[in-house]
Amino acid sequence: MSRWGKTRHLQRGALALLLLLSLAPVSAKAEPRFASLNVCADQLLLMLADREEIASLSYHAVDPNFSFYWRSALGLPVNRGQAEELIAARPSLVLGGTFSNPATQHLLDRLGIAVLPLEVPTDFAGIRAQILAVAEALGHRARGQALAAELDRRLDALEPAERGQRPLAAVYQENGISAGRGTLVASVVEAAGFDNLATRLGFSGYAALSLEELILHRPSLLVTSLEASDAPSLARQTLEHPALKEVAEHAVRVTVPAALWVCPGPYTVEAVELIARERARISAEAIP
């Protein structure tokens, strides 16, 4: 069968499934049912929707390496981003976005299933705005307002860094990747009261930071990240390089659980609080 023939066959199959579902009996007033196509959208549903309203989550929702609310996701239906799965789940709204299958999102839209595309916020203003927007779309405005207010309260509770009292922090992750301007990780480091080395060096987005640069700038804090499984890998060997011992001689090292900032959410403030505690420690040790 040709590529075009396969495409037409899949489209006919999806349309046939939709026709069968449309003939199934439904209640006069259908309850809202929500689905998500990626792990970041999963977190929003798990925070904001009632459990019985969740029709389907992405299969990453139960992975503790990426999903902050993985325990809450246990026992709920999951999908692998295929249109047939979502059609069968009969959601009234699907949360999609940048990292979701665009073909699935387009087909769902063509079939009349509402899709809410979500960007990935890179700062706390964006996180707050997304929480409120999704809560509104799900019909849980008050729940979203409460989460946003708690996020603001915890950020406001952080001890502000005085002018000239912002130590230098370097983010150094697998394969020597660091986070510069326009990233959530940089926003977290800066909200915790540190200057971010990658930003100082003019990095935008995620880019490799050489060990030479790391040693040369002598950061006060070295920030690494950790997945829940922490399985050995070639990428992680960078974090065990002997040259890092020289950095560690004059830097505090802090490890942030990856699930706190893989996906932006109100829980990301925990990463800020974790790093901010190290700033207080560094400041105290600097006092003669």
Side-chain angles (χ1 to χ4, degrees), residues 10-78:
L10 290 172
Q11 289 177 338
R12 284 197 299 268
L15 290 171
L17 178 58
L18 180 63
L19 177 60
L20 289 173
L21 290 171
S22 69
L23 296 175
V26 295
S27 61
K29 183 181 179 182
E31 295 297 326
R33 287 171 60 81
F34 309 120
S36 50
L37 291 173
N38 62 66
V39 68
C40 294
D42 295 336
Q43 309 311 297
L44 289 161
L45 274 190
L46 291 165
M47 281 188 293
L48 294 166
D50 293 331
R51 188 174 179 86
E52 58 269 21
E53 293 177 327
I54 298 176
S56 184
L57 301 167
S58 86
Y59 70 101
H60 286 303
V62 294
D63 187 340
N65 288 312
F66 310 112
S67 176
F68 184 79
Y69 292 115
W70 67 272
R71 288 186 179 86
S72 299
L74 294 174
L76 290 169
V78 296

Side-chain angles (χ1 to χ4, degrees), residues 177-183 198 203-207:
I177 299 299
S178 194
R181 186 179 298 106
T183 66
F203 290 10
S204 292
Y206 294 93

Side-chain angles (χ1 to χ4, degrees), residues 183-236:
T183 66
L184 178 64
V185 171
S187 295
V188 166
V189 170
E190 291 159 8
F194 285 87
D195 282 339
N196 181 38
L197 176 58
T199 302
R200 179 182 290 185
L201 293 175
F203 290 10
S204 292
Y206 294 93
L209 174 66
S210 70
L211 281 168
E212 291 79 7
E213 289 278 17
L214 192 60
I215 295 169
L216 176 65
H217 286 85
R218 297 175 63 87
S220 298
L221 184 73
L222 182 64
V223 183
T224 57
S225 196
L226 180 69
E227 294 181 1
S229 65
D230 193 26
S233 67
L234 290 175
R236 290 199 63 82

